[in-house]
Amino acid sequence: PALLPATATSASPLDQHTASPHHKALIVQQKLAQPLTLGQTSLLTTHNSYNARYYANLFRYWDPNHYLSVAQQLDLGIRALEYDAHHALDASGRKSLKLCHGTDQHLVCSLYDRSLQDGLLELGTWLRRDANRDELVLLYIEDHLDGHYDEALAVLEDTIGDLVYRPGDCEPLPMDLLQTDLLRAGKQILIGGP
């Protein structure tokens, strides 16, 4: 039988980038940096990581900082994320923990912004994939919680608690800590704040 000609398929820009030599070099560079201490490491970062067109609709994230989801950003090599956590009104008329690009008074927050829980679940799901078990992510949480820290801690524990490195009560991250030591201990997330 005659061979049929191969049909060309168009790859998405994300697929094109992850197949590029630039992306492969970035991943190799990240792997080479794993034996270094935190103080010797630089991480590709996105600001307002959750505020993406991927999640936008008529009711939320009208002015996104990014096009891609958090998981897609991580696929591209981002290893430091920023989540702005707000205790603000939701669609039920109650206050809840949300990811919002708003002011300290929660102005511009939408009733329909994604929950902090959904944002943390997305991060945890990505890190728990077999292909990502040796990845380390720094999560910066910008505090607009209005003192609802116990509620935020409960959400963290329920979603990513097993993956979080805990240096101790109110201690700064030890900059001489090796990334490989964290990964060997089964920890993949460092949480920072102001």
Side-chain angles (χ1 to χ4, degrees):
L3 295 175
L4 298 175
T7 57
T9 59
S10 67
S12 73
L14 181 64
D15 292 336
Q16 289 174 5
H17 177 75
T18 55
S20 74
H22 299 91
H23 179 73
K24 291 175 183 168
L26 170 66
I27 299 305
V28 168
Q29 182 179 0
Q30 288 176 339
K31 297 300 177 209
L32 290 172
Q34 282 186 340
L36 300 176
T37 66
L38 295 177
Q40 297 170 316
T41 304
S42 62
L43 302 170
L44 286 181
T45 305
T46 53
H47 177 71
N48 296 328
S49 309
Y50 61 90
N51 186 21
R53 181 163 296 181
Y54 183 90
Y55 309 113
N57 61 34
L58 185 60
F59 304 106
R60 67 178 182 204
Y61 306 131
W62 306 298
D63 187 21
N65 292 83
H66 307 282
Y67 286 92
L68 303 175
S69 72
V70 167
Q72 291 170 328
Q73 292 172 47
L74 292 166
D75 286 341
L76 287 177
I78 298 300
R79 292 298 177 266
L81 304 170
E82 180 197 23
Y83 283 4
D84 295 357
H86 285 256
H87 189 256
L89 285 176
D90 62 23
S92 72
R94 293 183 306 243
K95 288 194 170 188
S96 64
L97 302 179
K98 301 162 51 153
L99 297 173
C100 167
H101 190 207
T103 67
D104 285 338
Q105 295 77 30
H106 318 296
L107 297 176
V108 192
C109 289
S110 164
L111 299 175
Y112 300 95
D113 285 340
R114 290 182 76 213
S115 69
L116 175 61
Q117 178 174 338
D118 286 347
L120 295 174
L121 282 171
E122 183 177 12
L123 172 58
T125 298
W126 189 88
L127 285 168
R128 287 184 179 96
R129 290 184 195 145
D130 287 342
N132 302 326
R133 293 300 297 175
D134 64 345
E135 298 295 343
L136 183 68
V137 172
L138 173 64
L139 176 62
Y140 170 76
I141 299 179
E142 188 173 291
D143 176 7
H144 302 277
L145 295 170
D146 296 342
H148 290 265
Y149 301 116
D150 289 341
E151 189 178 341
L153 184 58
V155 171
L156 284 164
E157 288 294 344
D158 289 344
T159 55
I160 59 171
D162 60 315
L163 300 174
V164 174
Y165 171 74
R166 301 159 200 245
D169 291 337
C170 298
E171 292 178 29
L173 290 176
M175 298 313 284
D176 59 346
L177 189 64
L178 298 175
Q179 293 183 65
T180 49
D181 289 343
L182 289 170
L183 294 169
R184 273 197 286 279
K187 304 304 177 189
Q188 294 178 268
I189 300 173
L190 299 163
I191 296 180

